[in-house]
Amino acid sequence: GAVPVVTALYGAGCRDFFVAHAEEGAEIRACAPDANIYVLDGFYEGCTELYIAHSLTPCLGSFAEIADYQALARSQEKPLPAMLNFNIRMNRLGLNKIETKELLDNHATMLAGIDVKGIMNHFSCADTPDHPITETQFKVFSDIARNFDAVFPALIKSLCNSSGLFRSPDYHFDLVRPGMALYGLNPTPEQDNPMHPVVRLEAPIIRTRIVYQGASIGYDATYKFKNDTLIATVAAGYADGLPWSLSNQGAFYWKGYRCLIRGRVSMDMSSIDLSAVPENDRPQVGDFIEVIGDHQNPAMIAKDAGALDYEILTSLGKRYDRRYLSA
Amino acid sequence: GAVPVVTALYGAGCRDFFVAHAEEGAEIRACAPDANIYVLDGFYEGCTELYIAHSLTPCLGSFAEIADYQALARSQEKPLPAMLNFNIRMNRLGLNKIETKELLDNHATMLAGIDVKGIMNHFSCADTPDHPITETQFKVFSDIARNFDAVFPALIKSLCNSSGLFRSPDYHFDLVRPGMALYGLNPTPEQDNPMHPVVRLEAPIIRTRIVYQGASIGYDATYKFKNDTLIATVAAGYADGLPWSLSNQGAFYWKGYRCLIRGRVSMDMSSIDLSAVPENDRPQVGDFIEVIGDHQNPAMIAKDAGALDYEILTSLGKRYDRRYLSA
C-alpha cells in the first residue's frame, strides 16, 4: 500500500520518506514529487539508474558504497545527496567505529562529490523501556553528531524509529522515522497503545455446517469435536498471510464473540467454531468475519501464531480487496 | 505466478485447472483459452459476472450455491456447467451425507438447468501413509460415484490432491489435482521426494562485518557472540515472506556451507554467520546467498520456522525479481 499511504502522508505535509529498496523509492516518487526519498539499504549494484531517474538519496553505510556513489557523482559531474548511516550495537548496516573515525579524518577526499545531507542511526531495542542499549545508541550517536557538526554545517540528524519516538524527546533530533506506529501497531508494548488502529481485515464465510461429536476437521484431522458444533468455513488461509501456526491456536471474531480456529489453517480457508455465539446472533454464509478489527489487533494474532505484529501486517495477502479510507 | 505456470502447463497439454477464487480463474483464462477452469470455493456472491465472462465452472458444495447457480442458468437461458463437491470427513466445503441423499432423490428438480460435469472430493490426510481417513474418503466417494453414475452418464470423478496421487492408482479416477507437487514439494514426506525441485531463491549480501566477542546483533539484541564473528547482512526479511520465527533458528547456504541466522530476522534484512565458510571461499557484498536451492528446500525452512512447506512458497514476497525458466 505504499502509493496510497505516501499520498496521504504527503497530503498531511510529510516531505521525507524512507524506503528499504530503490525500487520502492521509484514506485512512490510520483506521489511525493518534491520530497526527499531516502533508501535505507544504501547504494547497491544494478539500481544506479533508479537513483538518478527518481532523485533518490541513499543511506550510505560502507566504504564500498561511498566510493561507488562518489564514482556516480563524478560521472554525473555534480554533487549527489546522501545520508550517512552508522552502526551502533545493531550490527546490521552502517559504518563501524573505526570506519567512522577514518571517514572523519579523511572527509575531504572520501566524501568529495557527495552532498552529505545528514547522519542517521537506528534503535534496536527501544520497544523495551529503559533498555541500556537504547541509551548507549543515543549517546554514541550524539558524539558522532558533534564530530560531524564540526565539519559539515547544518546536517540533518535522525535516530528514532516508532518506539524511540515515544521513549524520550531527547531522541528526536531533526527527523524521526516512524514505521509500525503509522500502521497502528503499539510502539510501547508494555503499556496501552498511543496510536489509533488503522487496519481492519474481514473475510467472508463460504459455508456453515454442524460437525458431529467425535468427527475431526481439516488437514491431518488435528482437531476432534467433543460435541456437535456449528462450524463456519472462512475464505482466508495461509496463502492470504494468515500464519499456518494459527492452526488450533487463533480465533476470528463475530460481533465481539471469539470464534476459535479449529483444525489446520488451509491454503485458502480456515474453519472457526461458532459455539460462543448465541443462536440468534449467528452469522450466515456471505457475512464477513473480523480477522483484524475492534476485538483483535495484529499483536493478538501474532501472539497466537508465534509471529511478530509487524509481520502480520507485512504478510497481508494480495488477494484481499483493499480499500483506503480518508481520515 | 499463476500466469506463467498455467501457460507452461497448458503448453504441456493440461486442459483442466482448479483455482480457489473466481478472480484467479479470470486471471488465467487468457493463458488457457479452451480449458476447463474450476473454482474450488464454489459459487459466491459478487462474482457472477466473472463466471459468465470467463466461462468458469464452480465446484458447488451447498444447496444455497446450487439454487443460486440454477437461478443464474435460468437467467442465461442455457444450462451452465458445474462440479459437485462432497464433504467426506474434511468438514470444510461440500455437501454432507444427508444433503447428498436429498440431492440424489430430487436431482431432476434440484439440478435442473445445471450441466453436471462431474463430482469431486478432497483428501485431508493423504500425506500420512495408510491414514485410515484416506481409505474411508476413497470408499465413501466411490459409493457416491456409483449412485451418481446411475443417474448422470459420463461424469468426471476427481479425488486426488498431490499426496493422494502417490498413494494408490485406485484413487486416481478421471482427473487428479496436484498442487504442491507441481511446485516441487514432497507429497510423500515419509520418503524421498519423487518430484524435482523447481523453486530457487537467492538474496544479495549488502554488507559484511566482524562482530566482536560479547556484542549482540539485531532487534532486541537476542544473540550474543562468543567469538569475533564474520557476519553478512542479507537483503531479505519477513516482509519478503521469510518467517520472523527463523530468528536464531534458520540458516542460508553459501557454496553448501550452512550459515546460521543470528539474531532477529528484520523486516527487510537477515544477518547470517559466515564462520562455517573457509576463509578463501567467503562471499562478498553483492554475492547472492542460497535461501532455497540445492542445499535447502522449503520443508527445511518450514521445520526451522514452525511453518508449513507450502506456506514458505505461498509467502514468497512480491519484491523478489521472479524469473521463470523453460524446462
Side-chain angles (χ1 to χ4, degrees):
Chain A
V3 166
V5 171
V6 168
T7 303
L9 291 171
Y10 186 86
C14 180
R15 291 295 178 273
D16 294 277
F17 296 90
F18 287 80
V19 297
H21 304 311
E23 291 85 349
E24 296 168 323
E27 189 191 354
I28 63 166
R29 175 48 85 194
C31 344
D34 60 341
N36 300 308
I37 300 179
Y38 304 96
V39 180
L40 292 164
D41 259 12
F43 184 66
Y44 43 94
E45 243 187 289
C47 291
T48 306
E49 284 173 27
L50 290 178
Y51 281 92
I52 298 298
H54 302 282
S55 303
L56 307 177
T57 302
C59 301
L60 303 174
S62 75
F63 283 177
E65 285 172 78
I66 290 172
D68 288 349
Y69 197 59
Q70 230 179 1
L72 178 64
R74 267 196 305 273
S75 78
Q76 296 286 311
E77 299 179 344
K78 62 176 181 188
L80 291 178
M83 290 285 272
L84 296 175
N85 189 10
F86 299 94
N87 175 47
I88 307 170
R89 300 296 182 94
M90 181 70 151
N91 288 316
R92 198 174 62 168
L93 296 178
L95 298 160
N96 65 25
K97 196 174 167 181
I98 297 167
E99 292 166 336
T100 302
K101 185 174 184 315
E102 193 178 335
L103 188 66
L104 270 167
D105 290 347
N106 302 286
H107 66 87
T109 52
M110 290 182 74
L111 292 170
I114 297 180
D115 176 15
V116 181
K117 293 289 185 193
I119 62 171
M120 60 172 286
N121 184 241
H122 192 72
F123 280 129
S124 55
C125 303
D127 57 336
T128 304
D130 305 319
H131 197 294
I133 284 185
T134 303
E135 192 63 16
T136 302
Q137 289 173 320
F138 167 65
K139 285 189 175 149
V140 174
F141 183 71
S142 301
D143 287 343
I144 294 173
R146 266 188 299 275
N147 291 332
F148 271 82
D149 273 339
V151 182
F152 295 93
L155 281 189
I156 295 164
K157 285 143 208 122
S158 178
L159 175 59
C160 277
N161 58 1
S162 294
S163 292
L165 187 46
F166 286 87
R167 293 303 173 196
S168 165
D170 293 345
Y171 299 165
H172 291 187
F173 293 97
D174 305 309
L175 187 60
V176 295
R177 308 187 303 269
M180 58 100 91
L182 289 178
Y183 292 85
L185 301 179
N186 188 353
T188 55
E190 81 287 358
Q191 58 190 43
D192 285 349
N193 192 351
M195 308 303 291
H196 290 297
V198 299
V199 177
R200 302 179 68 88
L201 173 63
E202 296 176 333
I205 293 177
I206 57 173
R207 166 92 213 202
T208 60
R209 75 172 75 245
I210 301 286
V211 182
Y212 297 106
Q213 184 182 7
S216 56
I217 192 163
Y219 284 111
D220 288 353
T222 57
Y223 185 85
K224 200 167 203 177
F225 289 91
K226 293 187 192 73
N227 304 294
D228 295 358
T229 304
L230 181 63
I231 288 290
T233 305
V234 177
Y238 61 77
D240 301 298
L242 295 177
W244 177 75
S245 55
L246 287 175
S247 300
N248 291 311
Q249 297 292 336
F252 302 155
Y253 282 78
W254 172 254
K255 295 188 176 178
Y257 296 103
R258 183 169 168 85
C259 304
L260 298 169
I261 293 174
R262 298 300 191 194
R264 294 229 163 134
V265 172
S266 298
M267 192 177 288
D268 311 305
M269 293 169 237
S270 310
S271 298
I272 58 168
D273 185 330
L274 298 180
S275 304
V277 185
E279 203 158 339
N280 56 356
D281 260 347
R282 286 187 179 150
Q284 307 294 319
V285 169
D287 281 335
F288 280 72
I289 291 279
E290 173 189 331
V291 180
I292 298 172
D294 292 340
H295 305 92
Q296 177 157 268
N297 62 37
M300 293 163 71
I301 301 175
K303 196 177 171 197
D304 284 336
L308 185 70
D309 50 356
Y310 304 35
E311 187 183 23
I312 299 301
L313 293 189
T314 61
S315 300
L316 290 176
K318 63 181 178 177
R319 297 191 293 195
Y320 295 127
D321 175 26
R322 284 168 161 74
R323 295 176 201 182
Y324 296 89
L325 310 179
S326 305
Chain B
V3 165
V5 171
V6 168
T7 302
L9 292 170
Y10 185 86
C14 180
R15 292 295 179 273
D16 295 277
F17 296 89
F18 287 81
V19 296
H21 304 310
E23 290 86 348
E24 296 168 325
E27 189 192 352
I28 63 166
R29 175 48 87 194
C31 344
D34 59 342
N36 301 308
I37 300 178
Y38 304 96
V39 180
L40 291 164
D41 259 13
F43 185 67
Y44 42 94
E45 241 187 291
C47 290
T48 306
E49 284 172 27
L50 291 178
Y51 281 93
I52 299 299
H54 301 282
S55 302
L56 307 178
T57 303
C59 301
L60 303 174
S62 74
F63 284 175
E65 285 173 79
I66 291 172
D68 288 348
Y69 197 59
Q70 232 180 0
L72 178 64
R74 266 197 304 274
S75 78
Q76 297 286 310
E77 297 179 346
K78 63 176 181 187
L80 291 179
M83 291 284 272
L84 297 175
N85 189 11
F86 299 94
N87 175 46
I88 308 171
R89 300 297 182 97
M90 181 70 150
N91 288 317
R92 198 174 61 169
L93 295 178
L95 298 159
N96 66 24
K97 196 173 167 182
I98 296 166
E99 292 166 336
T100 302
K101 186 174 184 312
E102 192 177 336
L103 187 67
L104 269 168
D105 291 346
N106 302 288
H107 66 87
T109 50
M110 291 182 75
L111 292 170
I114 296 179
D115 176 14
V116 181
K117 293 289 183 191
I119 62 170
M120 62 172 286
N121 186 240
H122 192 71
F123 280 128
S124 56
C125 303
D127 58 336
T128 304
D130 306 319
H131 196 294
I133 284 184
T134 303
E135 192 63 18
T136 302
Q137 289 173 320
F138 168 65
K139 284 189 175 149
V140 173
F141 184 70
S142 301
D143 287 344
I144 294 172
R146 266 189 299 276
N147 291 333
F148 271 82
D149 273 340
V151 181
F152 295 93
L155 281 190
I156 294 164
K157 284 143 208 123
S158 179
L159 175 58
C160 278
N161 58 359
S162 293
S163 293
L165 187 46
F166 286 86
R167 292 303 173 197
S168 165
D170 294 346
Y171 299 164
H172 291 187
F173 293 98
D174 304 310
L175 187 60
V176 295
R177 307 187 304 269
M180 58 101 90
L182 290 177
Y183 292 84
L185 302 179
N186 188 353
T188 55
E190 80 287 359
Q191 58 190 42
D192 285 348
N193 192 350
M195 307 303 290
H196 290 297
V198 299
V199 177
R200 302 179 70 86
L201 173 63
E202 296 176 333
I205 292 178
I206 56 173
R207 165 92 214 203
T208 60
R209 76 173 74 245
I210 302 285
V211 182
Y212 297 107
Q213 184 183 4
S216 57
I217 193 165
Y219 284 110
D220 287 354
T222 58
Y223 185 85
K224 200 167 203 177
F225 289 90
K226 293 188 191 71
N227 304 293
D228 294 358
T229 305
L230 182 62
I231 288 289
T233 305
V234 177
Y238 60 78
D240 301 299
L242 295 177
W244 177 77
S245 55
L246 287 175
S247 301
N248 290 311
Q249 298 290 337
F252 302 155
Y253 282 79
W254 172 254
K255 295 189 177 179
Y257 297 103
R258 183 169 169 86
C259 305
L260 298 169
I261 293 174
R262 298 301 191 193
R264 295 230 163 132
V265 173
S266 298
M267 192 177 289
D268 311 305
M269 294 169 238
S270 310
S271 298
I272 57 169
D273 185 331
L274 297 180
S275 304
V277 185
E279 205 159 339
N280 57 356
D281 261 347
R282 285 185 181 153
Q284 306 295 318
V285 169
D287 281 335
F288 280 72
I289 292 279
E290 173 189 331
V291 180
I292 298 173
D294 292 341
H295 306 93
Q296 177 155 271
N297 62 37
M300 293 163 71
I301 301 175
K303 195 176 171 199
D304 284 336
L308 184 71
D309 50 355
Y310 305 35
E311 186 184 24
I312 299 301
L313 293 188
T314 61
S315 300
L316 289 177
K318 63 181 178 175
R319 295 192 294 195
Y320 295 127
D321 175 25
R322 284 169 160 74
R323 295 174 201 183
Y324 296 89
L325 309 178
S326 305

